[in-house]
Every structure is written in C-alpha cells, then in structure tokens.
Amino acid sequence: MFLQMNNVAKTFAQHEVFSGIDLSIQENQFVSLLGPSGCGKSTLLSMVAGLESATEGSISLGGKTILEPGTDRGMVFQQPALFPWLTVRDNVTFPLKDKLSKKEQDQIAAHYLKMVHLTRFKEAYPHELSGGMQQRVAIARALAMDPKVLLMDEPFGALDEQTRHILHDELMKIFQETKKTILFVTHSIQEAIKLSDRVIVMGTRPGRIIADFPVDVERPRQRDNSRVIELEQEIMELLKGEINKVLKEELDHETKHFT
Amino acid sequence: MKLSILLKRVIFIGVLLAIWQGVYMSGYFPAIQFPPPTKVFQAMVEGFADGKLVSALLASFKHLLIGLGLAIGIGTLIGVLLGKSRQADETAGMYLIAMQSIPSIVWVPLAIMLIGLNETAVIFVVVLGGTFVMALNTRTAIHSVPPEFIKAARTMGTKGMRLFFKVEVPASLPYFMSGIRLAWAFSWRALMAGELLSNGPGLGYSLRYAMDFAQMEVVIGIIIIVGVIGSVVDQLIFSKMEKKVMRRWGLLK
Ligand SMILES: Nc1ncnc2c1ncn2[C@@H]1O[C@H](COP(=O)(O)OP(=O)(O)O)[C@@H](O)[C@H]1O
Ligand SMILES: [Mg+2]
C-alpha cells in the first residue's frame, strides 16, 4: 500500500497516546482522521511527517520507512507558520531554495499562488494578509515542493465559518487538480464527511482506530444529502461514547482531587 | 498636532533656560559655580571651534565603536551558546544575570589595575558594559523562536546549519535588535564611567579635566552633549532599526 502504518504506537514519557494503529492509505485518496481532542491525531500526523518517531511499529511511504521529515511529505498546520521576514513568494519558494534556478522557482511560486488565488499578493508580507489568505499561502508552500502526500492538521480550525467554507471548496479543487494523497486531521464531523473519500474515526483512552468509513457520496457534497446525514449521525453516535468517556474521566479526576 | 508638540517642547526648553538665567541673575550662587546659559553655550562653541571637543568626541566614538562591536560579537556568541545548549544555560545562565547586574563603573579599577591607565582599559570597560546584556538578549532571542517555525521548516526538509541560519537567525532578529539597542545604551554609560577615570582622550576625560580646573560652563556643556548624543543615537539609529524589524515581523502595527 502507498502509505502504510504497521502496529504503530506512541508513548510520551510514561503516557501512552495510542498503540496498535494499523492503517493503509491508497494513493490519490483524501483521508480524514477524526476524533476527540487529545486522542493523538496530531501526534500520528507528526509521525507521518517524520517530526516524531514511532515508539513501536513503523510507517512507510511508497515502500520506504519514514525516519525523518522529507520533501515527499508537505505539512500544513493549524497556524500558518509563514516566515514573517519573507514575502509571500519567498515563503512559497522556501522549500525549493538552492535546488532550482531563480526563474524556475518563480514559475513554481506563480503556479501555486495562482492555484490559491493569491497571485496579486506575491510581493506582500504575511502580516499584511488575513488569516485565510495566510493559510492559503501555507498550502501553496507545502505544494511547491511537489510532495506525494499532503498532511493537514486542522488547517481551517482557526478560521471563521465563512472563510472555512471557501477554503473547503478551494481544497477540493486543488485535490482534484493535483491528485495528491491528502491526510487531513479534524475534529469536525461535517468537515470530514464533506471533504474525504474515507473517514478514519479515532477513539481515546487509549487512543486507537474505532471505525473506518468510506464516504460514497458524489462531490460536491450537500449537507442535506440523505447519505451525508446518515453518516453524520452514525459517526456522532460513535464519538458520543468517546467524548463521554473523556468527560467521565475528567469528572472522576476532579472529584478525586476536590472532595 | 505634530507642530503643536514641537511647539510645546520648544517652549518647555525656553522656560527652563529662563529659570536658569533668572537664578543666575539673582546672584544666589557665585558665578563660578553657576554660569549663565549663554556662557555654557559660548564654552561649547569655543570647544568645537578650537577642536578640543571634536577630538574628545572622536576619541570617545572610537572607544565606543570598538567596545560595542566587541560586546555585540562576544555577547552574541555567548548568547547563541546558552540559547542552543541547555547544558550551558543551566551551568552558566545564572552567573550571566549576576554579571549583568554589576554597574560598569565597578569594572574601572579592575581594568586600570589589569591593563593600565590607557585607552585599552576604557575599551575593556565598554566591552564588559555591553557584553552581558547582549548575551542575555541573544539567549532570549533564540529561546523565543516560535516552535512552529522550526516544525514547518523541518517538514520542508530544512535541518542543521541551514535551519539555524535561514530560520532561527531571522526569527530571532527582533529580540536580537533589542539586545543591540540595550548593548549600546549600557556601553555608552560604561564609556563615560571609564573615560572619567582615565587619562584621556575622550569626552569623559574632558569632563573631569574641566572639573579639575573649575570650568563649570564646560562641565555643563559636556553633560548636555552626552545627553544629546545618547538620545539622538537611540532615537535615530537603534530604536528606528528595532521598530523597523518589529513592524516587518508583524510584531508591531
Ligand atoms: N510533545 C509531547 N510531550 C508530551 N505529551 C504530548 C506531546 N504531544 C502530545 N502529547 C500528548 O499526547 C496526547 C495526544 O495529543 P495530540 O496528538 O495533540 O491530540 P489531538 O491532536 O488528537 O488533539 C495528549 O494527551 C497530549 O497531551
Ligand atoms: Mg491536534
């Protein structure tokens, strides 16, 4: 399989985040990782990026075990993390530096900035852009190194509702145009169903995969589509149990400490 | 608006000068202790005309440039070391803060005994005056690099020296600039302390010379020059550079 996780576990100091994660992801698929906060979605994504190592098991991309970050995997974080001292264009060409001529770099930047509709702002500095625009630059920057996989960790989580919807549509277009494999972390059920070919639901305490839904609905997806509503309710039911578990544990914790 | 602020400031100085002149004319203080503003102004003009103040100023600037340059260089190296190495920081970080809290005039006797009554001793004091504050700010600058910048850069295949020079260095520039501005301010104070007790040349030395010869108008004139240079250099060079960086980095609107 293209992106393969075999029996992956992560433990920070004494705290086990998850264990026994097995997951196979096909090329050109849009896969969402959905789960309550704290279940280890970001940790798993960071491991695919190579920012964190696996305590147990292994992750491989195209048959090669992932040991460190590399330009075959682009990542977009919840915070755009653009470099404020560089122009929009120079941010986008940052991962390319040294490898290509100035002209080729400019062409690549122009191509991806056009894709995210920011051609006009190539000479601007990040602080001159809105949050949504900054996140689009971050997407263009990740795409510029032409990765095989695009990793996105709640990329629209900090944006307002309206901007989020616009960016959903843009991301869908980019997905169809570039044919990237996308691994998308979110805690929003609607977002996962709206965008993905497949939704992986994670549970917590201990972190694990509890369900794996193919989303067999024609794009673009409408919220009032009956299959969408059905899926939403199914996943909601699943997650309710998980969220209750977290709440109960936190309440127990509190009663233990304050009574 | 702008003009009215300027006007207020000019009037303020005018009033101060008038009070000064008034106290002088009251005859309460002997004229040798309390010269009128005109005499101070005349002393400054004469000092510049006969070149004495000019050469003192040039000597002071020479001490400052060499001392501040060394302080920035050494301070940056120490700061980067402490910023990057947890070991080094835990071991020496605390002592750096202790050193920083020592007023630079305290170093003067040590410098004179160690090096002698010469310009090198003055420069030594200037270096000590600026190095510690520079080191502390550089350390803070490195520590304050947002971790998401490092993470993002690493996912783009950046590591090692390239990560340091292309991401950590520019990301820490705003605090680094504050470090330079503070190093200048501390070095300038240290310079005056050092020169005051040296045997010249320099503005501080001229000040003590004037005191020894009871030339109050020269003493006041030099104090005014020191104050003016201090604030002008800060406002026109260091604050401006710092603000420019902060604005570009999106830290100031
Ligand atoms: N660097 C770290 N050191 C220690 N614990 C961590 C670290 N990163 C994450 N964790 C812990 O791992 C768990 C999962 O975190 P995370 O992957 O961020 O969850 P999610 O993204 O699903 O909200 C949390 O309990 C968090 O406190
Ligand atoms: Mg997360």
Side-chain angles (χ1 to χ4, degrees), chain B residues 29-228:
Chain B
F29 296 104
I32 186 116
Q33 268 179 18
F34 203 94
T38 45
K39 207 160 166 223
V40 170
F41 183 71
Q42 200 186 342
M44 280 158 78
V45 171
E46 271 168 25
F48 279 110
D50 68 12
K52 271 194 200 130
L53 273 180
V54 177
S55 55
L57 261 174
L58 287 177
S60 285
F61 276 130
K62 186 182 91 183
H63 303 153
L64 184 73
L65 282 180
I66 298 173
L68 182 58
L70 284 171
I72 291 173
I74 300 168
T76 302
L77 284 180
I78 298 175
V80 168
L81 180 70
L82 295 189
K84 296 294 289 181
S85 156
R86 215 192 141 94
Q87 281 282 351
D89 196 20
E90 281 172 355
T91 312
M94 209 189 86
Y95 300 114
L96 194 66
I97 296 172
M99 297 297 271
Q100 159 60 18
S101 69
I102 298 175
S104 33
I105 195 161
V106 167
W107 298 114
V108 178
L110 182 129
I112 292 173
M113 289 171 77
L114 204 64
I115 301 169
L117 210 57
N118 54 35
E119 293 189 71
T120 314
V122 171
I123 293 172
F124 180 77
V125 173
V126 174
V127 172
L128 285 175
T131 298
F132 302 120
V133 70
M134 190 68 214
L136 282 172
N137 271 270
T138 305
R139 180 183 74 157
T140 309
I142 300 263
H143 282 166
S144 64
V145 173
E148 63 259 29
F149 286 176
I150 311 262
K151 271 208 238 169
R154 287 181 61 208
T155 64
M156 293 185 276
T158 312
K159 56 187 171 184
M161 281 310 210
R162 200 179 131 82
L163 181 64
F164 180 70
F165 285 108
K166 292 277 180 174
V167 180
E168 287 179 88
V169 168
S172 51
L173 208 58
Y175 278 100
F176 186 78
M177 296 303 290
S178 315
I180 290 184
R181 185 170 58 81
L182 288 172
W184 134 259
F186 277 77
S187 292
W188 178 241
R189 287 158 179 73
L191 175 71
M192 288 307 136
E195 283 184 352
L196 208 60
L197 299 176
S198 79
N199 61 353
L203 217 49
Y205 171 75
S206 302
L207 184 60
R208 207 192 60 196
Y209 187 88
M211 179 189 85
D212 290 344
F213 287 83
Q215 300 166 317
M216 187 56 129
E217 62 282 0
V218 179
V219 169
I220 296 174
I222 292 178
I223 291 173
I224 292 173
I225 292 171
V226 170
V228 168

Side-chain angles (χ1 to χ4, degrees), chain A residues 33 41-46 74-79 135 150-158 183-187 191, chain B residues 151:
Chain A
L33 282 176
K41 304 180 297 292
S42 299
T43 305
L44 189 59
L45 205 68
S46 298
M75 187 146 175
V76 179
F77 302 86
Q78 183 166 4
Q79 297 307 321
Q135 203 54 294
L150 190 57
L151 307 167
M152 307 183 89
D153 190 356
E154 308 202 21
F156 310 136
L183 194 51
F184 187 97
V185 163
T186 177
H187 61 240
E191 190 173 52
Chain B
K151 271 208 238 169

